[in-house]
Amino acid sequence: MLKRKIESVLAEWRNSESKKPLVIKGIRQCGKTYIVQKFAKENYESVIYMNFMLEPNKKSAFTGNIDVDTIILNISALIPGSRFINGRTCIILDEIQECKAARTALKSFQIDGRFDIIATGSLLGVRGYGKNDKNEENGEDSIPVGYETVVEMYPLDFEEFLWANGISEKVIDSVKLCFEQELAVPEAIHKVMMELLYRYVIVGGLPEVVNKFLETKNIELTYQVQRNLIAEYKEDMIKYADNADKVRIRECFESIPKQLAKENKKFQYSVVRKSGRSSQYIGSIQWLEDAGLVKRCYNTQITELPLEGNAIKEHFKLYTTDIGLLIAMLDYGTQADILKGNLLGYKGAIFENLMADFLCKSGQKLYYFQKESGLELDFLVRYKGECVAVEVKAKSGKTKSLKTVLKNKDVYHINNAIKIGKYNVGREGEVLTIPLYMGFLIKDQLESIIVPDIDLSLLT
């Protein structure tokens, strides 16, 4: 049984005074259904569960009028023995993207207020999220704007992976303290954390894969589970994409390892297919991103905040949201190479994708900086209220671009940088060096800002 951070999000939602129906979206097989059912069972007297993908007949509960009383009557007929207790019933609408009317009905449940509603959706960005279902009549947008709370769920992040491997909060807190106070991690802890990091790289965070690894410690069996999941994702591309896009989406997805292998990792359409063009494939990349499989990392015009405002949307790299997906797309045997440290040139791509994994799963967007002159910074992040450069080096490595940027603060406006690699915590002037496993700790702690009242008496 894997401990997940989203459990605290669910608990906070459950205890809020004015909660709206909760919509949890995320990549298929990231654990949404399991965690929602577990939470509901532990916190409600009555749980009503409907899966619109496995039980399409349940969609009939939302045909015709979608007032709450009519829906409850319909559900009672479809699920004999259902109990609806005011304030103590949770209704779970799983794979809600399959039933547009159910998504629209969330507004009715919000206004009614008697029951708590949790909806999940694996392909909300692809189906049912602002788009009309092909099998339904075109009509009003199904999103009940203002009447739902949307939360994105990811596969296990590195900290959750540590929990799954029996690492105590005390040990994790000691690592966090070393990061915050820039102290070297005790050697015994450092060694164990590095070994766990390499395991995380080859396993990733998809719950089924993690469970298979913990159960067997067998890389081949773990890899088989990963390949099966990738096959399922490719089936989704065939099932849910428009006919004209099916092949292109798959081509874009399968090109990721080749894209990251290039010295210039900017996504190149000619790598997908010779003479490929943006107009042919940009929609396919959007589909993959909407499905939760990939994240774009945008080049920026300048190294300043706000990063989103300076992003160049046409220039981007493409990373898998889960590092385990990338490794599973490579040759079998790569896993053993990673554990033994035998990777050659491709290790840079792997550990850059690892950093992307860390940032994505903490809810951050991805940015980098590259100029035609060859100057390049792997990532740019908002950290401690500043724009900070992050350089990823699997072992030790030259950081010529980083030195150039830091020497020219009047041009690049970067005062601090973080270099992560196969070493312990240390500092070299403006550069904080940290071990690879601390990458998950790089995130901005935003302060609560209370806006003071204005003295309106000054107007009289």
Side-chain angles (χ1 to χ4, degrees):
M1 190 167 63
L2 302 172
K3 178 183 175 183
R4 304 300 304 274
K5 291 180 181 178
I6 199 165
E7 293 182 74
S8 62
V9 175
L10 289 166
E12 184 177 343
W13 169 80
R14 170 81 168 92
N15 296 324
S16 62
E17 294 183 2
S18 56
K19 58 179 171 289
K20 302 175 182 179
L22 184 65
V23 178
I24 301 176
K25 65 175 185 174
I27 185 174
R28 278 190 64 188
Q29 303 298 330
C30 70
K32 298 182 298 297
T33 300
Y34 172 81
I35 209 69
V36 166
Q37 287 185 312
K38 174 178 177 289
F39 173 79
K41 183 178 179 181
E42 293 173 351
N43 289 276
Y44 293 89
E45 185 174 337
S46 173
V47 178
I48 311 298
Y49 176 78
M50 308 175 74
N51 187 314
F52 297 119
M53 184 176 287
L54 300 179
E55 304 169 298
N57 65 304
K58 296 295 193 297
K59 296 179 187 179
S60 62
F62 297 87
T63 56
N65 294 334
I66 54 172
D67 63 281
V68 172
D69 287 332
T70 299
I71 294 171
I72 295 307
L73 184 64
N74 292 340
I75 292 176
S76 298
L78 289 167
I79 309 176
S82 301
R83 294 188 301 147
F84 296 90
I85 308 167
N86 292 0
R88 291 182 290 173
T89 294
C90 181
I91 301 174
I92 300 172
L93 306 175
D94 205 356
E95 302 294 1
I96 196 171
Q97 77 276 353
E98 299 295 321
C99 183
K100 175 183 173 182
R103 184 75 183 273
T104 305
L106 296 183
K107 178 177 180 179
S108 299
F109 280 107
Q110 159 66 8
I111 295 172
D112 182 86
R114 285 176 288 169
F115 313 110
D116 287 356
I117 311 296
I118 304 177
T120 74
S122 301
L123 296 164
L124 284 173
V126 174
R127 288 187 67 191
Y129 197 75
K131 300 178 177 67
N132 290 312
D133 193 315
K134 297 175 186 176
N135 298 320
E136 298 180 61
E137 294 182 3
N138 290 343
E140 186 181 349
D141 195 328
S142 63
I143 303 176
V145 177
Y147 293 91
E148 63 180 20
T149 298
V150 180
V151 174
E152 187 154 10
M153 183 175 174
Y154 296 94
L156 277 77
D157 64 20
F158 182 56
E159 187 170 15
E160 291 171 320
F161 185 79
L162 293 177
W163 294 341
N165 280 272
I167 304 302
S168 68
E169 293 282 2
K170 183 178 179 180
V171 171
I172 297 173
D173 287 343
S174 71
V175 172
K176 291 179 179 179
L177 184 65
C178 289
F179 174 72
E180 293 165 2
Q181 298 187 0
E182 299 185 9
L183 301 172
V185 179
E187 192 57 35
I189 296 177
H190 176 69
K191 181 179 179 181
V192 171
M193 293 294 289
M194 285 301 298
E195 290 178 355
L196 286 167
L197 176 83
Y198 291 136
R199 295 183 182 193
Y200 177 71
V201 170
I202 63 177
V203 173
L206 291 165
E208 185 179 355
V209 181
V210 174
N211 279 324
K212 177 59 69 173
F213 174 74
L214 294 175
E215 175 190 343
T216 66
K217 296 295 191 297
N218 186 309
I219 296 301
E220 183 178 0
L221 296 178
T222 303
Y223 177 75
Q224 288 175 3
V225 174
Q226 289 173 318
R227 293 302 305 176
N228 288 341
L229 289 176
I230 288 176
E232 290 182 19
Y233 295 142
K234 290 181 178 179
E235 287 177 8
D236 286 341
M237 297 171 198
I238 296 173
K239 182 177 180 181
Y240 293 106
D242 293 336
N243 288 332
D245 294 330
K246 294 180 190 296
V247 174
R248 292 174 181 172
I249 292 170
R250 187 165 182 165
E251 286 177 335
C252 281
F253 181 64
E254 292 176 343
S255 80
I256 293 175
K258 293 180 183 178
Q259 300 279 356
L260 294 178
K262 297 180 69 65
E263 186 66 27
N264 176 7
K265 296 182 178 63
K266 171 188 169 185
F267 191 88
Q268 297 177 329
Y269 300 99
S270 59
V271 175
V272 180
R273 182 187 291 182
K274 189 176 181 180
S275 71
R277 300 187 303 276
S278 170
S279 58
Q280 295 174 303
Y281 290 102
I282 194 65
S284 301
I285 293 172
Q286 186 64 56
W287 193 99
L288 290 169
E289 198 164 27
D290 288 341
L293 291 166
V294 303
K295 283 286 186 182
R296 276 178 277 198
C297 180
Y298 292 104
N299 193 7
T300 59
Q301 301 178 63
I302 52 177
T303 51
E304 295 178 6
L305 301 177
L307 293 168
E308 179 64 21
N310 293 317
I312 306 171
K313 295 301 182 180
E314 298 80 21
H315 297 170
F316 58 88
K317 302 176 186 179
L318 203 62
Y319 295 107
T320 59
T321 50
D322 184 76
I323 184 62
L325 284 179
L326 174 65
I327 304 306
M329 293 170 74
L330 303 176
D331 300 335
Y332 179 66
T334 304
Q335 297 85 346
D337 291 335
I338 292 172
L339 292 175
K340 295 175 183 177
N342 291 340
L343 289 171
L344 299 175
Y346 203 81
K347 65 179 181 293
I350 289 174
F351 289 107
E352 276 189 33
N353 205 130
L354 172 65
M355 190 65 221
D357 174 298
F358 288 153
L359 294 172
C360 286
K361 291 177 180 176
S362 63
Q364 300 180 67
K365 294 183 179 180
L366 306 180
Y367 304 96
Y368 73 105
F369 183 65
Q370 185 177 50
K371 296 178 67 175
E372 291 183 0
S373 63
L375 188 148
E376 181 178 5
L377 301 173
D378 293 336
F379 294 96
L380 294 175
V381 298
R382 177 189 284 269
Y383 180 67
K384 293 186 177 180
E386 297 182 8
C387 179
V388 174
V390 177
E391 284 288 277
V392 183
K393 300 296 178 184
K395 292 186 178 179
S396 59
K398 296 180 180 180
T399 53
K400 183 178 178 181
S401 293
L402 186 59
K403 290 179 180 178
T404 300
V405 167
L406 291 172
K407 281 182 180 179
N408 296 277
K409 294 181 175 60
D410 56 330
V411 176
Y412 298 104
H413 310 290
I414 286 185
N415 299 313
N416 294 283
I418 299 174
K419 186 169 69 171
I420 72 173
K422 193 177 178 181
Y423 28 68
N424 212 316
V425 180
R427 177 169 282 280
E428 302 170 6
E430 304 109 321
V431 181
L432 172 64
T433 60
I434 61 174
L436 286 162
Y437 57 80
M438 278 188 176
F440 80 100
L441 298 173
I442 300 177
K443 47 192 169 185
D444 203 16
Q445 300 296 330
L446 297 178
E447 297 180 6
S448 297
I449 300 175
I450 306 299
V451 180
D453 293 332
I454 298 174
D455 186 359
L456 299 180
S457 65
L458 297 174
L459 299 176
T460 60

